[in-house]
């Protein structure tokens, strides 16, 4: 495993930049030259668009992901082609393209994002919720109603998406003010997952509540006490312990 960008074997970096392999670590993903990958993934993208991509080479990765998606939309690239690409970064661009595509309502965006939210690569799954989070947060009540059925899906990845996408504070993203003030609004998503058998989902629920505990500690304590009384399963105990890890 690579510990830093300098530790990545040059031949491995070539494969990453040409899009023939997926990144194995976050470090590998951060090391990719987006302009090189864009040229390899879409040979007809054009010199002007590649120059725009190069100009943002020093910017944060989320901003570069969004730019790559916009360039692909401008070039009218088939999103199905991107979603089937072997590079996880290219599939991540597809996530941001779905979020930025004109003319789609929230149910349509969620339906289009669903396969990427269930992607086999950890990075693509993160890009899926990060890309769509601003629109989910902007239509919070609708988003919660649309995501509630996902909590019963057979895929633990989709169950996690339903929770992770609307964390009050989240990672690499803006806070959702309504949920930091009123975390109870998300109970239709949290309640069905309180004893989820998958550790992947348990960690997301616990992190959601840990976020909420920073502004509404008494609510988190009360909810955990209720859950432990209603469902004293090992999964619930684990969630509640991790949820209250920042509380004294």
């Amino acid at each position: 495993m690579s510990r830093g960008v300098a530790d990545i074997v040059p031949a491995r970096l070539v494969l990453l930049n040409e899009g023939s392999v997926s990144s194995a670590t976050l470090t590998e993903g951060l090391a990719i030259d987006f302009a090189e990958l864009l040229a390899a993934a879409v040979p007809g993208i054009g010199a002007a668009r590649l120059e725009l991509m190069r100009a943002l080479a020093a910017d944060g990765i989320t901003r570069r992901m969004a730019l790559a998606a916009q360039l692909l939309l401008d070039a009218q690239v088939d999103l199905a082609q991107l979603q089937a690409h072997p590079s996880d970064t290219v599939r991540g661009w597809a996530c941001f393209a779905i979020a930025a595509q004109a003319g789609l309502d929230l149910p349509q965006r969620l339906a289009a994002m669903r396969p990427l939210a269930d992607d086999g690569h950890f990075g693509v799954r993160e890009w899926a919720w990060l890309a769509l989070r601003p629109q989910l947060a902007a239509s919070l009540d609708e988003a919660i109603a649309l995501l509630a059925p996902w909590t019963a899906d057979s895929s633990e990845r989709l169950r996690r998406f339903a929770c992770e996408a609307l964390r009050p504070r989240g990672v690499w993203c803006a806070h959702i003010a309504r949920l930091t003030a009123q975390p109870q609004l998300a109970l239709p998503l949290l309640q069905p997952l309180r004893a989820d058998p998958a550790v992947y989902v348990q960690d997301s629920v616990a992190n959601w509540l840990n976020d909420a505990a920073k502004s509404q500690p008494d609510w988190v304590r009360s909810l955990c006490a209720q859950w432990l009384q209603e469902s004293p399963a090992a999964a619930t105990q684990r969630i509640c312990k991790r949820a209250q890890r920042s509380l004294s």
Side-chain angles (χ1 to χ4, degrees), residues 7 10 14 31 35 50 93 111 129 134 193 226:
D7 298 311
V14 168
L50 291 176
W93 293 344
W129 71 258
L193 301 176
Q226 177 189 333

Side-chain angles (χ1 to χ4, degrees), residues 83-168:
Q83 291 185 51
H85 201 278
S87 167
D88 61 289
T89 298
V90 174
R91 300 200 301 280
W93 293 344
C95 296
F96 281 84
I98 289 168
Q101 194 173 18
L104 299 181
D105 60 20
L106 193 56
Q108 290 170 323
R109 291 190 200 283
L110 275 169
M113 194 70 79
R114 189 181 178 94
L116 293 156
D118 201 25
D119 194 273
H121 191 279
F122 67 93
V124 179
R125 299 194 297 271
E126 296 304 300
W127 291 129
W129 71 258
L130 274 165
L132 204 51
R133 179 179 165 94
Q135 285 146 329
L136 294 171
S139 301
L140 186 61
D141 296 330
E142 181 185 16
I144 291 170
L146 290 169
L147 287 172
W150 290 38
T151 64
D153 198 274
S154 60
S155 169
E156 64 183 57
R157 298 165 181 169
L158 294 180
R159 298 198 305 274
R160 178 184 183 270
F161 180 98
C163 177
E164 193 72 14
L166 290 176
R167 278 179 57 180

Side-chain angles (χ1 to χ4, degrees), residues 8-238:
I8 300 174
V9 176
R12 173 70 178 171
L13 190 54
V14 168
L15 294 176
L16 290 165
N17 285 337
E18 68 182 21
S20 58
V21 298
S22 282
S23 61
T25 64
L26 176 59
T27 298
E28 287 192 350
L30 293 172
I32 291 171
D33 184 316
F34 275 28
E36 279 194 39
L37 179 57
L38 189 58
V42 188
I45 193 70
R49 292 188 180 94
L50 291 176
E51 190 54 38
L52 286 171
M53 195 74 258
R54 290 190 190 96
L56 262 68
D59 282 27
I61 189 168
T62 304
R63 187 176 178 191
R64 288 184 288 125
M65 294 292 290
L67 174 63
Q70 192 57 61
L71 295 175
L72 291 163
L73 286 173
D74 292 345
Q76 298 184 329
V77 175
D78 181 7
L79 294 189
Q81 171 190 339
L82 301 180
Q83 291 185 51
H85 201 278
S87 167
D88 61 289
T89 298
V90 174
R91 300 200 301 280
W93 293 344
C95 296
F96 281 84
I98 289 168
Q101 194 173 18
L104 299 181
D105 60 20
L106 193 56
Q108 290 170 323
R109 291 190 200 283
L110 275 169
M113 194 70 79
R114 189 181 178 94
L116 293 156
D118 201 25
D119 194 273
H121 191 279
F122 67 93
V124 179
R125 299 194 297 271
E126 296 304 300
W127 291 129
W129 71 258
L130 274 165
L132 204 51
R133 179 179 165 94
Q135 285 146 329
L136 294 171
S139 301
L140 186 61
D141 296 330
E142 181 185 16
I144 291 170
L146 290 169
L147 287 172
W150 290 38
T151 64
D153 198 274
S154 60
S155 169
E156 64 183 57
R157 298 165 181 169
L158 294 180
R159 298 198 305 274
R160 178 184 183 270
F161 180 98
C163 177
E164 193 72 14
L166 290 176
R167 278 179 57 180
R169 296 174 184 269
V171 181
W172 289 6
C173 55
H175 296 177
I176 301 176
R178 281 187 70 198
L179 290 179
T180 59
Q182 298 176 278
Q184 66 273 17
L185 296 175
L187 280 174
L189 305 178
L190 301 171
Q191 189 79 8
L193 301 176
R194 70 191 188 280
D196 197 279
V199 169
Y200 191 50
V201 180
Q202 293 170 22
D203 285 347
S204 182
V205 177
N207 288 336
W208 202 109
L209 293 175
N210 185 60
D211 283 356
K214 292 177 171 65
S215 54
Q216 301 293 334
D218 291 342
W219 180 82
V220 172
R221 289 189 185 97
S222 176
L223 182 65
C224 286
Q226 177 189 333
W227 281 3
L228 289 169
Q229 184 175 24
E230 294 174 349
S231 171
T236 309
Q237 293 178 35
R238 183 175 184 274

